[in-house]
Amino acid sequence: MRPPAAPGLGPALLPPLLLPLLLPPLLLPPPPAAARRAPRYDPTWRSLDARPLPAWFDRAKFGIFVHWGVFSVPSFGSEWFWWYWQKEKIPTYVQFMKNNYPPNFKYEDFGPLFTAKFFNASHWADIFQASGAKYIVLTSKHHEGFTLWGSKYSWNWNAVDEGPKRDLVKELEVAIRNRTDLRFGLYYSLFEWFHPLFLEDKSRSFQQQQFPVSKMLPELYELVNKYQPEILWSDGDADAPDYYWNSTGFLAWLYNKSPVRDTVVTNDRWGYGTICKHGGYYTCSDRYDPGHLLPHKWENCMTIDKFSWGYRRDAGIDDYLTIKELVKQLVETVSCGGNLLMNIGPTHDGTISVIFEERLRQMGTWLKVNGEAIYETHPWRSQSDDITPNVWYTSKRKQKLVYAIFLEWPTSRSLFLSQPIATLGVTQIKLLGHGQPLNWTSLKPNGLLIQLPHLTFHQMPSKWGWALALTNVI
Ligand SMILES: *[C@@H]1O[C@H](CO)[C@@H](O)[C@H](O)[C@H]1NC(C)=O
Ligand SMILES: *[C@@H]1O[C@H](CO)[C@@H](O)[C@H](O)[C@H]1NC(C)=O
Ligand SMILES: *[C@@H]1O[C@H](CO)[C@@H](O)[C@H](O)[C@H]1NC(C)=O
Ligand SMILES: *[C@@H]1O[C@H](CO)[C@@H](O)[C@H](O)[C@H]1NC(C)=O
């Protein structure tokens, strides 16, 4: 995938008077490709942190996280199954194994049972597209170390030699890339719970780099060169410092030389102490939702199942967030300048359970009507209304638009907004998905009272939340 050329000051964009001034330099031979590729990045945080975030990411606002791996086979408790069962020996996990599997069953024996038998990447892509998401992030390798592609460095603990005998990363990449409005991203766990080389390095306080040099770094280069992810979502530093992982060296290559150098976006999980501080956008913590504006681009990664990222057969209906709760998460996050990365966990046989599918499709129907107030917006001067609860603001500066997204429909049909300052005869207010401009009155000293239309249940443009477009307010 080739990124579009950077916009330059071409003669066609300039008024005629300026043309003569520009002509002489244009007659010179173009500089060599390498020289045109400024700026270059050094393997230091100071240099890497100064890289502007590729603009597509902030515009996208909404992505889907997919946690899939061998942990999807037991599909019990959490994607941390192996650790909880064998390292922490948590009784529910130990009992689950005792009750359901033969006595000498090892975690590795789940490998062949990870069949992906019904995995249809094109069908997944249809569902993701219907959700209104603009990017997806797949766990190419979680802490268990099993790679969903045929990594040359994984011995046989990968999806091509074991289980599905298919390159799952490739199949999903092809299907996602076939949708023009979806970008393809990959999650990658730096450490592996039980990898002998990692454990040896750890026992020497990370003063040696056997694991990063022979496994993790070669794998990352392979992953980027083969699948060209536009998000590299790093995780699992295991409290080892970034110089152990050689993170800055790798990122300098990613930004300077890799096939995705112009469009790739990364996060902040690159070694002990880097989170919320270095790298691309900030994730800070799982389910991060600060409720206020941050000076740096950030992402709220959260999951529809409140208790697990991987699929759980033991999940009950109350364990899943409702669509109303999910819409609220999206709106709050975007108002405060974040992106929402909403997680699902597919099953071991490659299906997306109908509850996840329903939530995704519901989000899509909401975004079809209200996406104008989400995609490509900027935070406004206020993030939420300080008088009326559950009202969140976004804006489009160029179009002089402010959006007020309200999550409860007032029974009086009068909505009070304390923040915007409106002008009679100039300000116009519309409910997204509903044609006519609405009546409103200005209140002194500030704020306005908006009359919502009288609509029956079936006339409502959306459920779970509504958006007002306010033109010419300050
Ligand atoms: C895979 O999914 C696509 C899109 O939903 C569908 O058209 C196709 O028939 C499916 N392929 C198989 C083998 O089921
Ligand atoms: C790409 O998408 C088009 C239209 O949706 C479909 O006909 C085609 O089979 C897809 N190709 C692949 C490789 O998925
Ligand atoms: C580590 O980073 C340095 C740059 O700081 C680079 O020259 C070197 O090749 C990297 N090592 C590996 C194994 O990738
Ligand atoms: C707006 O107010 C005018 C005058 O009171 C009224 O005639 C009209 O029906 C109202 N429009 C809406 C959409 O409520």
Side-chain angles (χ1 to χ4, degrees), residues 413 434 436-440 451-454:
R413 281 197 297 114
H434 179 77
Q436 295 82 37
L438 305 181
N439 284 340
W440 55 273
Q451 290 309 309
L452 296 173
H454 197 94

Side-chain angles (χ1 to χ4, degrees), residues 121-122 126 129 171 174-179:
S122 182
D126 284 348
Q129 192 166 32
E171 288 183 30
V174 167
I176 294 294
R177 291 251 152 87
N178 190 23
R179 308 295 194 287

Side-chain angles (χ1 to χ4, degrees), residues 43 217 221 246 249:
L217 286 163
Y221 290 112
N246 213 23

